[in-house]
Amino acid sequence: MQKSFFLSAGIALFVRVMGAVASFLATFFVARFLGVDESGYYFMMIALVTILVAAGGVGLEDASVKLAGINRGLAWSYYKKVMLVASFGGGVVSLLLFFSAEIISDRFFSKPNMAAVFKAVSPGVFFQVLYTITAFCLQGLRKASESILVLMIMINVMVVLAVITGVASSASELALCYSFSSVVIFALGFVIVWRHCFNSREGEFPWPRIFNSCIPLWPVMFMTQVQIWSGQFLAGVYLDVGELSRLSIAYRLAMLTSFMLTAVNLVVGPRFSRLWEDGDKEGLVALSNKALGFIVIFSSPLILGMLLFPRVLMGFFGEEFVSGSIYLQILAVGQFFNAATGAVGYLLIMSGNERALRNITLLVGGVGFFSLWGLTAMYGALGNALGGAIVVALSNVIAVFSVNKLLGFNPVNLRFFQFARR
């Protein structure tokens, strides 16, 4: 089990690193080629799109990791049905964005130029919902590398190509390229799932089980994205475009530290589910310890780099971004808590405690949103970064206590370097 875990985690880490590199390059080239103002519009678009995709996915993301992994013989039936649900949810949020683009940009953000950007990306929202659920289905089928390819790598590669080739020289043009790219990525993801599930046609997956799993997770997925992106969302209301762009760069750099957590989650998610179904608590604890050690060991150098050399990292994007170094340092502290607590969210989901995670997410997400709102209104970008770090730390600490209470063990084992011999 140990060799299998490290081999799978190592492969997932390599592919996830490629995803992190692609994300970094997309941020780098967008900032360099579009400039402070246009890149600020683009980053604001990404924040809104990500929140809308979580709303349109109706909780099917993590539900798919759990259900597709347990019921592999019914995988194709499951995939077809969740695509129908996702098509409805994605269609609703896509149309809402298109028809309310002027209202959002004028009345909420007070930035009229963003209306064209929102309208251009609205078709992409629909297809991003579909390819996101597709990627999580692949994760449930233990196809971690292909999942990351669909979910992270391709969209960033296509954004980079659009910018460096001159196809997109403004935020609105890049939004159109983003929409086109989403169509291509979904088509590729569909083919990959079809290839893996061609022989998985043993019957029909029951509709009630899909809704019983995804509905409790819907507010979790939505509020999780609100936690992650509401800082940039609220920054768009109170900050000028230049400062918004600097803060957005800091957020994106800080979130690179979470690539280890995502890489390990891709591997341990389906395994957590199977161990819990089999009643193997000892194996669950051992796997949790291994995952935590893996995450901390590989995340620490990146977090230390952000704390010690923030000016160097922000300077990669241009001299006009260096003044945002303090934002990066504050956000890196929050990401430390994200790494140091391990895969606590997945432990709760895969053990059938979706409602506990939902309650945590709703509580922290609600309190965090209004805290961010107040701190941003009072202290600008500095308050926004501080609020973002607090929200990340608080949600993970509460999740640790919940795992301890509900599953009967402490997921933050101080001896995590002494991996079990299983």
Side-chain angles (χ1 to χ4, degrees):
M1 178 179 175
Q2 181 165 315
K3 289 183 179 180
S4 174
F5 168 76
F6 282 113
L7 177 62
S8 299
I11 294 172
L13 174 60
F14 173 77
V15 181
R16 186 65 178 87
V17 168
M18 295 300 99
V21 169
S23 177
F24 176 83
L25 290 175
T27 303
F28 174 80
F29 283 110
V30 168
R32 282 285 190 176
F33 280 73
L34 297 191
V36 174
D37 289 351
E38 288 295 321
S39 64
Y41 289 137
Y42 174 77
F43 295 139
M44 186 67 253
M45 177 203 83
I46 293 296
L48 181 59
V49 165
T50 306
I51 292 173
L52 290 176
V53 167
V58 297
L60 288 168
E61 297 91 338
D62 286 341
S64 295
V65 177
K66 180 179 180 180
L67 297 178
I70 295 175
N71 304 278
R72 300 188 70 172
L74 304 177
W76 182 245
S77 172
Y78 175 81
Y79 181 70
K80 289 189 296 182
K81 290 183 176 181
V82 296
M83 283 296 100
L84 289 174
V85 179
S87 295
F88 177 77
V92 170
V93 294
S94 178
L95 290 172
L96 283 175
L97 179 60
F98 182 83
F99 288 109
S100 62
E102 286 87 359
I103 296 173
I104 296 173
S105 57
D106 292 348
R107 298 185 183 179
F108 192 79
F109 292 112
S110 299
K111 295 175 176 63
N113 292 338
M114 294 189 70
V117 179
F118 291 153
K119 284 194 171 185
V121 82
S122 58
V125 171
F126 173 77
F127 287 99
Q128 187 169 341
V129 170
L130 298 184
Y131 81 66
T132 297
I133 307 303
T134 297
F136 279 90
C137 286
L138 287 169
Q139 182 181 340
L141 294 169
R142 295 193 182 185
K143 305 299 177 181
S145 299
E146 289 154 314
S147 174
I148 295 173
L149 176 69
V150 172
L151 187 62
M152 294 194 59
I153 295 178
M154 286 197 65
I155 189 64
N156 287 306
V157 168
M158 297 178 97
V159 165
V160 169
L161 290 175
V163 171
I164 64 177
T165 58
V167 172
S169 57
S170 67
S172 58
E173 291 175 351
L174 190 54
L176 281 173
C177 294
Y178 191 96
S179 290
F180 173 76
S181 300
S182 297
V183 178
V184 174
I185 295 168
F186 170 63
L188 174 67
F190 181 89
V191 171
I192 294 173
V193 171
W194 179 83
R195 183 169 59 87
H196 287 304
C197 296
F198 183 76
N199 295 318
S200 302
R201 303 184 181 187
E202 298 177 2
E204 289 295 315
F205 197 96
W207 279 106
R209 192 165 187 190
I210 295 174
F211 290 113
N212 289 340
S213 184
C214 75
I215 296 302
L217 288 171
W218 190 3
V220 174
M221 296 303 302
F222 179 70
M223 290 305 297
T224 297
Q225 296 305 319
V226 168
Q227 286 181 26
I228 296 171
W229 295 95
S230 61
Q232 296 169 69
F233 188 77
L234 291 169
V237 179
Y238 290 98
L239 305 181
D240 61 64
V241 179
E243 199 65 15
L244 169 63
S245 186
R246 295 181 190 94
L247 183 64
S248 296
I249 292 290
Y251 267 105
R252 278 160 176 73
L253 280 175
M255 283 192 291
L256 288 177
T257 61
S258 66
F259 76 88
M260 264 310 308
L261 181 60
T262 306
V264 172
N265 280 343
L266 287 167
V267 177
V268 301
R271 296 177 186 225
F272 280 159
S273 181
R274 286 191 175 275
L275 288 169
W276 181 259
E277 289 282 329
D278 295 340
D280 188 357
K281 182 177 178 180
E282 184 181 349
L284 187 69
V285 173
L287 183 58
S288 174
N289 289 339
K290 292 172 188 176
L292 176 61
F294 206 88
I295 292 165
V296 171
I297 289 170
F298 287 95
S299 295
S300 296
L302 189 54
I303 293 173
L304 283 173
M306 293 179 182
L307 292 172
L308 298 176
F309 309 107
R311 294 180 64 85
V312 175
L313 293 173
M314 293 293 288
F316 277 125
F317 302 91
E319 285 298 318
E320 62 269 37
F321 293 97
V322 173
S323 59
S325 299
I326 184 63
Y327 312 147
L328 178 60
Q329 289 177 307
I330 294 171
L331 292 167
V333 173
Q335 290 300 321
F336 166 77
F337 284 90
N338 197 23
T341 52
V344 285
Y346 263 43
L347 275 171
L348 290 172
I349 292 172
M350 300 304 158
S351 61
N353 290 290
E354 296 98 332
R355 286 175 173 79
L357 184 60
R358 178 198 63 191
N359 295 339
I360 294 169
T361 307
L362 290 175
L363 173 64
V364 177
V367 173
F369 181 82
F370 288 106
S371 299
L372 266 169
W373 194 343
L375 287 169
T376 305
M378 289 188 291
Y379 303 110
L382 189 64
N384 186 286
L386 180 61
I390 291 172
V391 168
V392 171
L394 183 61
S395 61
N396 281 282
V397 169
I398 295 177
V400 167
F401 283 105
S402 295
V403 169
N404 199 0
K405 178 181 178 181
L406 296 171
L407 304 188
F409 71 93
N410 182 6
V412 184
N413 191 330
L414 297 179
R415 297 176 297 174
F416 53 71
F417 291 107
Q418 301 176 10
F419 298 117
R421 294 182 178 179
R422 287 178 62 88

